Amino acid sequence: MQAYTTLAATFARLGALEDASGILGWDTQTQMPDGASEARGEQLAVLKVLAHEILTDPRTGERLAAAEAEGELGEWERANLQEMRRAYAHAAAVPGDLVAAASKAATRCEMVWRDARRDSDFARLRPHLEEVLRLQRLVGEAKGTALGLDSYDALLDGYDPGMRRARIDPLFAELRAVLPDLVVAVRERQAAEAPPLPLPGPFPVGIQREIGLRLMRAVGFDFERGRLDVSLHPFCGGATDDVRITTRYDEASATGALMGVLHETGHALYEQGRPAAWRHQPVGQARGMSLHESQSLLVEMQACRSREFCTFLAPVLREAFGGEGPAWEARNLHRLYTRVEPGFIRVDADEVTYPAHILLRYRLETAMIAGDLAVADLPGAFNEGMKELLGLTVPDDRRGCLQDIHWPGGSFGYFPTYTLGAIAAAQLFAAATSRHPGIRPALAEGDFSQLRGWLRENVHARGSLLETDDLLTAATGRPLDTADFLNHLRRRYLGEA
Amino acid sequence: MQAYTTLAATFARLGALEDASGILGWDTQTQMPDGASEARGEQLAVLKVLAHEILTDPRTGERLAAAEAEGELGEWERANLQEMRRAYAHAAAVPGDLVAAASKAATRCEMVWRDARRDSDFARLRPHLEEVLRLQRLVGEAKGTALGLDSYDALLDGYDPGMRRARIDPLFAELRAVLPDLVVAVRERQAAEAPPLPLPGPFPVGIQREIGLRLMRAVGFDFERGRLDVSLHPFCGGATDDVRITTRYDEASATGALMGVLHETGHALYEQGRPAAWRHQPVGQARGMSLHESQSLLVEMQACRSREFCTFLAPVLREAFGGEGPAWEARNLHRLYTRVEPGFIRVDADEVTYPAHILLRYRLETAMIAGDLAVADLPGAFNEGMKELLGLTVPDDRRGCLQDIHWPGGSFGYFPTYTLGAIAAAQLFAAATSRHPGIRPALAEGDFSQLRGWLRENVHARGSLLETDDLLTAATGRPLDTADFLNHLRRRYLGEA
């Protein structure tokens, strides 16, 4: 297995480069002084180009073929080889100058986007986004040709290996058929009761941070191998054995930072729970963005917005902030955390209306990649979709098609993973709680150990050993479907048994 | 100039890799969770090996020869090419497996050293240090053969390009001849007066930090392109346009953090003042460690421990810490900051006794590299030297030959740059204040602008355009000599005119 061993060394080196980029990326968002952004851009670009050069070295292709012929590999080695092949195929498909051009265009477009969003000025973004789209379509074509996929599936495969439109379309069609009526029913039900009482602030940042750290510990975050910091846009990043999550604080409301920390902690558990012996190899990485999002949503939405967890959380918050009265009771907290209200902003959406935001973006980006929707027509199509799917009239592009960084940043094929993750989260949580009925009651004590143990074994420690549907089948008995997600929504929001 | 242009691109890439390592190095000391150290070690090793591979690529050598033959280059390009040649010669001289072995041995030895120092257990360190020395002697030989130098000069050249033992020996001999008597005279003089009053604490960390930031601004640190943080061992690091200095705080005394911040700010000014157009190229880097140390010591020792600066600083400290009485007066502060007392620990030494620590280490490390001193005999030789040079009996190896990280970390040839820097600092400060008599009085107002302007023009903005002695000649009228340093000591500590 000499070819395999050589490949393993090459991919360990690539992993270290990716780790270095991960720390630099974290630093960019949390520490870097403004004047360093140009130099930082060059550092990240050099690391990226070097990794691309190493990965697409013709010898990598030769060694892959040789290793595949060696045929004396164990289960993990075989899966590792398959992930190496996938990474190589994605990288080798795209000429180096296209990689560089697409990366540069995205960086430039992202910078313009920041101002364009602030000023709600789509016209300023348009030429830059057109260029980004043009190049991403070329990337999609190139990858599609190499992988035997259509362009969109080829891009999607870069975020969620093995995921295809043919798999997504029926799942999203089910949501499309059910959710609009479900939103109406939930809102009628919530309108029939007095609204939940807002928690009276202010909420000092230092206390919010202490609570965040305490909850991270409770969920199972390992501070020997990770940190919590502050950034404008919360994320989970960092490197191997060094998982760094961020949040942002608002003294007027503690909910955003609190739920944000729990969400990122779900991502972090996945990263910290990857199989230790394989953590520098492709097979030791998280399976894909859908499963990654399933872990954050499982912790935040399934576990921490549950009635049980609110029982644990209410006295924690009450004591920490010196609260008094009915607003601080578990029942009110749960009603606050499960309030449903259609809104313009995806990242602020509740779990019932969130899929509509994704269905719209998925529809628009598949059309853009297919060449059926021009950038010039994006605002109109976006606003039309918001009207159709959520009944909302978008007042300006800032609260419309300019709100997300994904397209300006060149990420086409990423959006569906949010809702696929929500579906997977429900399915995994249902399986876990069905296997271990003690999980839910334990949440009322702030005890995540059994849930965490199940996730470790059934998701985290598997790394990329199995394809997403195979992992779900092994963990839940069947591939991804919407049943548990819709049941969860009906149970939590309509009180159905 | 096609070969030159290609080289410039290669060295820009190397610069970006070094920058990435700089940020990761900063992160290791200031942010990284403990559990990440192994993975971080791998990241740094991969960046180092990649840089070595790029630098020693045979095409680099060919292009250097071609560029040197092109002969249509300007002054800066020619100097840049010379620095490229130097970097290539150093890297190409040492086989890759020796680089890796030396680096690994040093990493291992450093780790053992931390415990060995704590326990004052030289025997535990000995085999590891022997291995480090063995490999550094091989590195020195390999570089020496390639550069036409003896081993020690070849190692020294890696820290201070162009510096040689033949240049250092007479300078250090002058210090050896003068300083012991000078220390005695200073101590007699100080003993004849009542000792300075200690500043009564405690000194809250938050206030110390605020003062540090204020003084950094006064000296001229650009916070758009840098930061101040905390680490166990203070340093100046980071990357291009992103200079990061650190300090450590002690609530019982503010002097260490204060003077430490000013010292590192001197280093930072050099980094932030490098020639902008060349900041990604070898010629745009700082000239060498001696000049680098000259900048930190010029700010700390020459400028900020001066009588004038104490006039500015005294009311700042008094107000910030709510101090009252004679201890807080400028005259007392100046006496505190210029107290002379031989001690065991190099990093705690005053500027009069500091050179003795360096003379000793220089004597020992040249002997070790020459093969004339075995590691087994190091403690005895160290203690004998401390007795001879400072009249002190070393009580244990923790306060003797185990105190510094340099040798365990594989740095032989670094120590002399501390004292060469002190000599250069005095020479540069004398030239600056002679050219601009307003510099000293301005320090009493906390105004560094004129001093900074002179340093920018005469040192920082020259990058590596000139060799150290040529830079000093251009700035001060003559190459490095001890006259201004000894005059400075006599004037400050003996009151001679």
Side-chain angles (χ1 to χ4, degrees):
Chain A
M1 34 191 284
Q2 206 197 326
Y4 174 82
T5 307
T6 307
L7 284 169
T10 301
F11 277 86
R13 183 181 267 205
L14 288 168
L17 285 180
E18 205 159 302
D19 274 353
S21 296
I23 297 297
L24 291 179
W26 170 86
D27 186 273
T28 304
Q29 304 296 324
T30 62
Q31 310 286 338
M32 189 186 76
D34 288 346
S37 61
E38 193 198 320
R40 176 59 49 83
E42 285 163 32
Q43 293 149 27
L44 288 168
V46 165
L47 293 181
K48 197 176 185 170
V49 169
L50 276 176
H52 192 259
E53 285 177 8
I54 292 169
L55 185 51
T56 59
D57 186 314
R59 285 170 298 181
T60 306
E62 291 159 20
R63 284 175 190 137
L64 281 168
E68 281 154 3
E70 283 173 347
E72 38 182 319
L73 303 172
E75 181 190 17
W76 279 86
E77 284 84 0
R78 279 201 312 276
N80 196 26
L81 195 54
Q82 192 175 316
E83 294 309 308
M84 291 174 178
R85 166 65 71 184
R86 194 191 317 263
Y88 175 73
H90 270 275
V94 192
D97 51 357
L98 178 52
V99 172
S103 165
K104 265 184 205 163
T107 302
R108 207 175 313 122
C109 188
E110 258 190 54
M111 285 183 57
V112 174
W113 167 77
R114 285 173 209 284
D115 295 343
R117 177 171 78 157
R118 185 196 55 212
D119 303 338
S120 204
D121 183 358
F122 185 79
R124 205 187 318 170
L125 182 71
R126 186 181 144 181
H128 298 279
L129 185 55
E130 282 170 344
E131 179 64 1
V132 167
L133 175 60
R134 187 182 74 78
L135 292 163
Q136 285 303 318
R137 292 186 68 206
L138 290 177
V139 170
E141 260 179 58
K143 289 192 171 188
T145 305
L147 303 170
L149 298 171
D150 79 19
S151 293
Y152 186 84
D153 275 351
L155 294 172
L156 177 63
D157 193 79
Y159 300 108
D160 202 2
M163 189 49 68
R164 303 287 177 261
R165 274 201 299 163
R167 184 83 184 83
I168 297 174
D169 287 340
L171 297 170
F172 280 13
E174 292 171 47
L175 300 185
R176 176 71 187 86
V178 172
L179 286 182
D181 291 348
L182 198 144
V183 169
V184 170
V186 171
R187 299 207 71 212
E188 278 173 7
R189 187 166 185 260
Q190 295 193 338
E193 292 180 349
L197 302 164
L199 292 186
F203 305 90
V205 167
I207 298 178
Q208 289 195 56
R209 178 173 154 82
E210 282 310 313
I211 296 173
L213 292 171
R214 178 173 168 188
L215 296 178
M216 287 169 72
R217 260 179 230 111
V219 177
F221 188 94
D222 175 3
F223 283 93
E224 275 290 297
R225 299 188 295 137
R227 297 176 49 94
L228 168 67
D229 295 277
V230 174
S231 71
L232 193 57
H233 302 285
F235 64 91
C236 171
T240 304
D241 294 333
D242 194 357
V243 179
R244 302 183 177 193
I245 71 171
T246 67
T247 191
R248 63 182 156 202
Y249 299 102
D250 173 0
E251 297 240 323
S253 167
T255 305
L258 192 68
M259 287 297 153
V261 162
L262 290 165
H263 182 94
E264 302 304 337
T265 299
H267 282 304
L269 278 197
Y270 196 175
E271 288 297 317
Q272 294 189 328
R274 294 194 279 117
W278 297 94
R279 68 199 195 284
H280 298 301
Q281 291 294 317
V283 74
Q285 307 309 306
R287 172 67 285 181
M289 293 317 301
S290 294
L291 270 181
H292 228 308
E293 192 69 11
S294 83
Q295 296 308 288
S296 55
L297 291 173
L298 190 152
V299 169
E300 181 201 347
M301 292 292 178
Q302 299 288 327
C304 294
R305 295 196 191 236
S306 70
R307 214 177 281 280
E308 290 84 357
F309 186 71
C310 289
T311 308
F312 167 74
L313 186 60
V316 170
L317 296 185
R318 198 161 51 220
E319 268 173 49
F321 294 115
E324 263 179 40
W328 298 88
E329 282 170 19
R331 161 108 185 92
N332 185 62
L333 216 57
H334 182 248
R335 292 181 65 217
L336 275 172
Y337 292 157
T338 55
R339 197 72 180 161
V340 173
E341 192 169 354
F344 299 113
I345 305 301
R346 176 183 60 84
V347 297
D348 295 338
D350 58 80
E351 62 178 329
V352 186
T353 59
Y354 197 105
H357 293 273
I358 296 305
L359 265 56
L360 171 59
R361 284 158 178 76
Y362 175 63
R363 179 196 292 176
L364 298 176
E365 70 179 14
T366 49
M368 283 193 278
I369 292 297
D372 296 336
L373 175 65
V375 168
D377 299 325
L378 179 60
F382 191 97
N383 299 351
E384 206 175 294
M386 284 296 282
K387 188 79 196 167
E388 176 205 327
L389 289 163
L390 282 168
L392 295 175
T393 304
V394 174
D396 49 36
D397 291 334
R398 189 168 60 83
R399 280 171 286 185
C401 68
L402 284 178
Q403 69 183 269
D404 293 311
I405 197 174
H406 300 62
W407 294 331
S411 294
F412 291 81
Y414 189 108
F415 276 125
T417 68
Y418 290 111
T419 287
L420 297 171
I423 298 171
Q427 189 165 329
L428 288 165
F429 193 67
T433 50
S434 155
R435 171 77 183 77
H436 299 293
I439 285 177
R440 279 185 175 275
L443 294 178
E445 313 293 325
D447 175 4
F448 287 75
S449 53
Q450 206 167 28
L451 174 59
R452 187 171 63 247
W454 190 89
L455 291 172
R456 277 277 181 273
E457 188 185 332
N458 288 279
V459 181
H460 309 165
R462 285 186 164 143
S464 288
L465 181 65
L466 307 176
E467 299 285 332
T468 301
D469 264 337
D470 294 337
L471 183 145
L472 283 167
T473 304
T476 74
R478 54 186 211 281
L480 191 67
D481 70 44
T482 61
D484 289 325
F485 179 60
L486 292 174
N487 280 342
H488 158 71
L489 296 183
R490 289 193 186 102
R491 203 177 298 125
R492 175 173 285 175
Y493 294 93
L494 294 176
E496 294 176 11
Chain B
M1 37 190 282
Q2 206 196 326
Y4 175 83
T5 307
T6 307
L7 284 170
T10 300
F11 277 86
R13 182 180 268 207
L14 288 168
L17 284 181
E18 205 158 305
D19 274 355
S21 296
I23 297 297
L24 291 180
W26 170 88
D27 186 273
T28 304
Q29 304 296 325
T30 62
Q31 310 286 336
M32 188 185 77
D34 288 344
S37 61
E38 193 199 319
R40 176 59 49 82
E42 285 164 31
Q43 294 149 27
L44 288 168
V46 164
L47 292 180
K48 196 174 186 173
V49 169
L50 276 175
H52 192 258
E53 285 177 9
I54 293 170
L55 186 52
T56 58
D57 186 315
R59 286 172 298 181
T60 306
E62 291 159 20
R63 283 174 190 137
L64 280 167
E68 281 154 3
E70 282 174 350
E72 37 182 320
L73 304 172
E75 182 192 18
W76 279 85
E77 284 85 359
R78 277 201 313 276
N80 197 26
L81 195 54
Q82 192 175 316
E83 295 308 309
M84 291 174 179
R85 166 64 74 185
R86 193 190 318 261
Y88 176 73
H90 270 275
V94 192
D97 50 357
L98 179 54
V99 172
S103 166
K104 266 183 206 164
T107 302
R108 209 174 313 123
C109 187
E110 258 189 55
M111 285 183 57
V112 174
W113 167 77
R114 284 175 210 284
D115 294 343
R117 178 172 76 158
R118 185 197 57 211
D119 303 339
S120 203
D121 184 357
F122 185 79
R124 205 187 318 170
L125 182 71
R126 185 181 146 184
H128 298 279
L129 186 55
E130 282 170 344
E131 178 65 1
V132 167
L133 176 60
R134 186 182 74 79
L135 292 163
Q136 286 303 319
R137 292 185 67 205
L138 290 176
V139 170
E141 261 178 58
K143 289 192 172 187
T145 304
L147 302 170
L149 298 172
D150 79 21
S151 293
Y152 187 83
D153 275 350
L155 294 172
L156 177 63
D157 194 79
Y159 299 107
D160 202 3
M163 189 50 68
R164 302 288 177 261
R165 273 199 302 163
R167 185 83 184 84
I168 296 175
D169 287 340
L171 296 170
F172 280 13
E174 291 170 48
L175 299 185
R176 176 72 187 83
V178 173
L179 286 182
D181 291 347
L182 200 144
V183 170
V184 171
V186 170
R187 299 207 70 211
E188 276 173 8
R189 186 166 187 262
Q190 295 193 339
E193 292 181 350
L197 302 164
L199 293 187
F203 306 89
V205 168
I207 297 177
Q208 289 194 57
R209 179 174 154 81
E210 281 312 312
I211 296 173
L213 293 170
R214 178 173 170 190
L215 295 179
M216 286 168 74
R217 260 179 231 110
V219 177
F221 189 93
D222 176 3
F223 284 93
E224 274 290 296
R225 300 188 293 135
R227 299 174 49 94
L228 169 66
D229 295 277
V230 174
S231 71
L232 192 56
H233 301 285
F235 64 91
C236 171
T240 304
D241 293 333
D242 195 356
V243 179
R244 302 183 176 193
I245 70 171
T246 67
T247 190
R248 63 183 156 199
Y249 299 103
D250 174 0
E251 297 239 322
S253 168
T255 305
L258 192 68
M259 287 297 152
V261 162
L262 290 164
H263 183 94
E264 302 305 337
T265 299
H267 282 304
L269 279 196
Y270 196 177
E271 288 298 315
Q272 294 189 328
R274 293 193 280 118
W278 297 93
R279 68 198 193 285
H280 298 301
Q281 292 293 319
V283 74
Q285 308 309 307
R287 173 66 285 183
M289 292 318 300
S290 293
L291 271 181
H292 228 308
E293 192 69 11
S294 84
Q295 295 308 288
S296 55
L297 290 172
L298 191 152
V299 169
E300 181 201 346
M301 292 292 178
Q302 299 289 325
C304 293
R305 295 195 191 236
S306 70
R307 215 176 279 280
E308 290 84 356
F309 186 72
C310 288
T311 308
F312 168 74
L313 186 59
V316 170
L317 296 185
R318 200 161 49 220
E319 268 171 49
F321 294 114
E324 264 178 40
W328 299 87
E329 281 171 18
R331 160 108 185 91
N332 185 62
L333 217 56
H334 181 248
R335 292 181 64 216
L336 275 172
Y337 292 158
T338 54
R339 197 72 181 162
V340 173
E341 192 170 354
F344 299 113
I345 304 301
R346 176 183 59 83
V347 297
D348 295 337
D350 58 81
E351 63 179 329
V352 187
T353 59
Y354 198 106
H357 294 271
I358 297 305
L359 266 55
L360 172 59
R361 284 157 178 77
Y362 174 65
R363 179 196 294 178
L364 298 176
E365 71 179 14
T366 49
M368 282 191 280
I369 292 297
D372 296 335
L373 175 64
V375 169
D377 299 326
L378 179 59
F382 190 98
N383 298 351
E384 206 176 294
M386 284 296 280
K387 188 79 197 171
E388 175 206 326
L389 289 163
L390 282 169
L392 295 175
T393 304
V394 175
D396 49 37
D397 291 334
R398 189 168 59 82
R399 282 171 281 186
C401 67
L402 283 178
Q403 68 184 273
D404 293 311
I405 197 173
H406 300 63
W407 295 331
S411 295
F412 290 81
Y414 190 109
F415 276 125
T417 67
Y418 290 110
T419 286
L420 296 172
I423 299 172
Q427 190 165 328
L428 289 164
F429 192 67
T433 50
S434 154
R435 171 78 183 76
H436 300 293
I439 285 177
R440 279 185 173 276
L443 293 178
E445 313 294 323
D447 175 3
F448 286 76
S449 53
Q450 207 167 28
L451 175 59
R452 187 171 62 247
W454 189 89
L455 290 172
R456 277 275 182 274
E457 188 185 331
N458 288 280
V459 181
H460 310 164
R462 286 187 163 142
S464 289
L465 182 65
L466 307 176
E467 299 285 334
T468 301
D469 264 336
D470 294 338
L471 183 145
L472 282 167
T473 304
T476 73
R478 56 188 210 281
L480 190 67
D481 70 45
T482 61
D484 288 326
F485 179 60
L486 292 174
N487 281 341
H488 158 72
L489 296 184
R490 290 194 185 101
R491 204 177 298 123
R492 177 174 283 176
Y493 294 92
L494 296 176
E496 295 176 11

